[in-house]
Amino acid sequence: MASLALLPLTQPSFLPSKPFKSNVGFPPSSPLNQRTSHATPLNCHKMYVPGNGASPEAKAAKNLHGFFNYITVKISYNPEAYKDLMEFLNTHSLNDGDKFCASLMRESSRHKTLAWFMFLQVRSAYCKRDFEWDNLKRLVFKMVDESNTKLLEYFQIFIVSQ
């Protein structure tokens, strides 16, 4: 089973560096300001993202896994094998790459070899050696920054016009 390195989540530059204090504005004698014998939560500077049992990183990994299935089908070392794969793709969905691969293996011995090579070899090799993980991180950061800049410009124009 292939392993996937998860990138650490850093605090966005637009958020304050100090932790949020929920008891601000309460008098010193308020129960919210009194010390208790309970353990103090760690100040780890990570955002909590509620999910339905899966972390955002796990959801992104699942989407990337699907993307690698798509890329695997597009990589061609043999024109005849590529033609066979495209014909099979016309009648079978690639939404679940593992199911697609299992169906391809059941089709015929020729398709079984194709499935073994394409999905068990090419997908793994592309993911581990050819996909540019550092470039992905750089591009995502750039896209988020550009998007935030456009939104800030929009909000500034919106506020000034009011």
Side-chain angles (χ1 to χ4, degrees), residues 14 141-159:
F14 61 86
F141 286 176
K142 181 181 176 188
M143 288 172 64
V144 168
D145 287 344
E146 288 174 354
S147 177
N148 286 347
T149 300
K150 286 179 184 176
L151 286 171
L152 286 172
E153 290 170 358
Y154 170 76
F155 286 128
Q156 287 174 350
I157 291 170
F158 180 74
I159 291 171

Side-chain angles (χ1 to χ4, degrees), residues 16-80:
S17 60
K18 293 184 179 180
F20 176 75
K21 292 184 179 181
S22 61
N23 59 352
V24 173
F26 290 95
S29 62
S30 168
L32 292 174
N33 280 334
Q34 293 177 358
R35 294 198 179 264
T36 64
S37 60
H38 298 105
T40 304
L42 296 175
N43 187 8
C44 66
H45 295 286
K46 282 201 168 204
M47 293 182 215
Y48 170 72
V49 181
N52 296 331
S55 70
E57 293 82 1
K59 291 177 182 178
K62 183 176 180 182
N63 285 321
L64 281 171
H65 182 262
F67 174 73
F68 290 135
N69 294 330
Y70 171 78
I71 292 298
T72 299
V73 169
K74 295 298 180 185
I75 294 172
S76 174
Y77 292 108
N78 177 336
E80 185 178 317

Side-chain angles (χ1 to χ4, degrees), residues 119-147:
F119 276 86
L120 305 182
Q121 298 293 335
V122 174
R123 179 174 65 180
S124 181
Y126 181 78
C127 174
K128 292 176 182 176
R129 291 191 307 245
D130 292 341
F131 188 76
E132 297 177 7
W133 293 99
D134 293 337
N135 194 29
L136 170 69
K137 184 177 178 180
R138 183 187 62 76
L139 289 171
V140 168
F141 286 176
K142 181 181 176 188
M143 288 172 64
V144 168
D145 287 344
E146 288 174 354
S147 177

